Each structure stands twice: as C-alpha cells, then as structure tokens.
C-alpha cells in the first residue's frame, strides 16, 4: 500500500512540478519582454517590477529542481544522474527527455549569469539572456513529447496562449525602434539666467528662464 502511494506521489509531483516550472518560465519571459519593450515604463517605476522578474526566474529553478528530484525518486522509470543530465542516455523516450535536459542547461546558464550580472560584460549577459527563447521552445517540446498531460485540453490552450504571447512580445521587441542617446535628450528649466538678467536691468517678466540639456 505504501509503495503504491509513494509511486503515485512521485508521479503526480513530477507532472505538477513540470507544469508549474513551464508556467513560471513563461511568466518570467513575458514579464521581462514587457519591461524591455517599455510597455511598462521602466524609468521611475518601482524596483519591485524588476525584482518580480528576478524572483520568477529563481522560482523556476526551484520547481525544475523539484521536477528532477521527483523523477529520481520515481520507481516506474529509472532516472539516475546519467539519465537526468546526459542527453539521449535515458531508455524511456530519449529524444523527449533530451529536450528537457537542454532546457535545464539553458535555464541554469541564464540564471547564473543573471545572478552575476554586475560582474559580467553587458554583451555577455545579454547574449546568454537571449537564449530564453530556445529555452522556452525546448521546454515546450519536452512537455508535449514527454508529459502525460499533453492531451489535456486546458494544458493545450494554456501552452498555445503562452506561446502566442511570447511570439508577439518577442516580435514587438525586435521590431521596436531603439532610442539613440544623442537624440533622446530632455530639457530642464532653470532660473539662474532670469535673476542675472533682472539684476542687470533686463526683462523681469520671467516666463520660464533658459533651458539646459540633460543627457
């Protein structure tokens, strides 16, 4: 009886943690794309907007870890360290499992460089961060080829909706024009010149003073 319960527990834990991990990865990507496309104004926005993106990334690592532990503890199909981390080493659906392993490695690379972002060149961090798109694709293929819930209508609609949002926001991000620092200059109003002219007998009407560019 206990063996049956343990087998079912690990099986449900494997399925649930995989679905939750995919959902969190998708949410993290959508939130990051929303911030990078300025649909949410980054300047002047509270710090928790970016912190939420970081938190979702870290949370996805946690659930991927739970997914791996549940697979390791499952007695129905054997998964050891070799089967969990070496592509095509699993006797059970090796291609489907390889997609999941590839997604795990991409997620690890993205999160490690995100945590070390301040110590890395921005180009390196950005290049690694762009692998979020292959990560999303590999995780989605893994879920539909290895998961037991791929025939669930709700899962199919959630995956389709998430994929469409990632596609449209990613396309919008690529096609959106980039602001050039030389042309994106703002102006501020100062009153120093106004009082100087007033002391010299100049015009005291003082509409707005003179403007100084701010880079």
């Amino acid at each position: 009886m206990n063996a049956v319960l343990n087998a079912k527990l690990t099986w449900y834990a494997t399925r649930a943690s995989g679905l939750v991990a995919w959902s969190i990865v998708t949410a993290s990507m959508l939130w990051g794309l929303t911030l990078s496309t300025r649909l949410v104004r980054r300047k002047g926005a509270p710090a928790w907007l970016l912190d939420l993106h970081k938190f979702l990334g870290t949370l996805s690592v946690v659930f991927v870890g739970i997914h791996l532990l549940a697979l390791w503890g499952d007695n129905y199909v054997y998964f050891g360290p070799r089967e969990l981390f070496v592509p095509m080493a699993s006797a059970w659906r090796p291609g489907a499992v390889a997609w999941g392993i590839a997604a795990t490695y991409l997620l690890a690379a993205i999160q490690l460089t995100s945590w070390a972002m301040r110590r890395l060149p921005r180009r390196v961090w950005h290049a690694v961060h762009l692998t979020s798109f292959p990560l999303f694709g590999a995780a989605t293929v893994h879920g539909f080829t290895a998961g037991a819930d791929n025939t669930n209508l709700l899962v199919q609609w959630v995956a389709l909706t998430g994929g469409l949002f990632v596609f449209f926001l990613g396309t919008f991000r690529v096609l959106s024009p980039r602001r050039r620092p030389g042309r994106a200059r703002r102006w501020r109003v100062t009153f120093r010149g106004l009082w100087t002219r007033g002391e010299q007998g100049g015009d005291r009407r003082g509409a707005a003073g003179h403007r100084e560019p701010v880079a």
Side-chain angles (χ1 to χ4, degrees), residues 63-194:
F63 275 93
V64 168
I66 296 174
H67 185 63
L68 294 175
L69 287 175
L71 284 171
W72 178 67
D74 187 20
N75 295 326
Y76 182 73
V77 179
Y78 175 75
F79 278 97
R82 183 170 177 269
E83 287 76 11
L84 290 174
F85 297 104
V86 179
M88 307 303 293
S90 172
W92 183 81
R93 299 185 183 181
V97 175
W99 283 106
I101 295 173
T104 301
Y105 286 143
L106 289 174
L107 178 62
I110 293 169
Q111 284 306 120
L112 289 174
T113 53
S114 296
W115 292 333
M117 181 175 58
R118 295 182 179 180
R119 301 181 180 180
L120 294 174
R122 182 171 178 81
R123 290 184 178 180
V124 173
W125 169 83
H126 187 257
V128 176
H129 221 65
L130 287 178
T131 61
S132 299
F133 293 100
L135 160 64
F136 176 79
T140 303
V141 173
H142 169 69
F144 275 98
T145 55
D149 299 294
N150 52 9
T151 58
N152 187 303
L153 188 61
L154 177 61
V155 172
Q156 293 176 357
W157 276 105
V158 170
L160 177 62
T161 304
L164 288 176
F165 271 108
V166 170
F167 174 78
F168 285 124
L169 283 177
T171 303
F172 183 75
R173 175 67 179 84
V174 172
L175 298 180
S176 60
R178 297 182 179 180
R179 298 177 61 185
R180 296 182 180 181
R183 295 183 179 181
R185 308 185 78 182
R186 293 175 291 107
W187 297 85
R188 67 182 178 186
V189 178
T190 60
F191 295 89
R192 184 183 307 171
L194 173 66

Side-chain angles (χ1 to χ4, degrees), residues 15-89:
R15 294 167 60 186
S17 59
L19 290 172
V20 173
W22 181 90
S23 302
I24 296 174
V25 167
T26 305
S28 178
M29 282 193 63
L30 293 176
W31 192 243
L33 286 170
T34 302
L35 291 176
S36 65
T37 51
R38 301 182 184 277
L39 294 180
V40 175
R41 294 186 60 184
R42 298 179 65 181
K43 182 173 179 57
W48 67 265
L49 293 177
L50 184 58
D51 290 340
L52 177 60
H53 176 60
K54 295 179 181 179
F55 172 75
L56 290 174
T58 303
L59 194 62
S60 64
V61 174
V62 173
F63 275 93
V64 168
I66 296 174
H67 185 63
L68 294 175
L69 287 175
L71 284 171
W72 178 67
D74 187 20
N75 295 326
Y76 182 73
V77 179
Y78 175 75
F79 278 97
R82 183 170 177 269
E83 287 76 11
L84 290 174
F85 297 104
V86 179
M88 307 303 293

